[in-house]
Amino acid sequence: MFKDFLVSTPDEKGKITTQTRKTQAGKTVYILYEIGRTYNPAKNTMFLTE
């Protein structure tokens, strides 16, 4: 199901990133608004904060 509507973008400074996921219907691309990052030193990874 698809709905045609506008989504407002955040006013904070950041980057727009994309994430592709495999679904039963094929590939789905999600648009993520990256506002900041959080570092986890135990796992040596970065996490996006939205």
Side-chain angles (χ1 to χ4, degrees), residues 2-49:
F2 295 96
K3 188 169 183 176
D4 185 20
F5 63 96
L6 295 175
V7 177
S8 61
T9 57
D11 293 334
E12 292 87 5
K13 185 178 179 182
K15 299 177 182 179
I16 297 176
T17 61
T18 59
Q19 184 178 47
T20 304
R21 293 185 184 169
K22 221 177 191 184
T23 60
Q24 291 178 348
K27 289 183 180 178
T28 304
V29 177
Y30 293 93
I31 306 298
L32 305 173
Y33 301 99
E34 178 185 339
I35 297 172
R37 294 181 182 210
T38 305
Y39 179 69
N40 185 350
K43 294 184 177 181
N44 293 331
T45 56
M46 298 288 281
F47 294 99
L48 299 178
T49 54

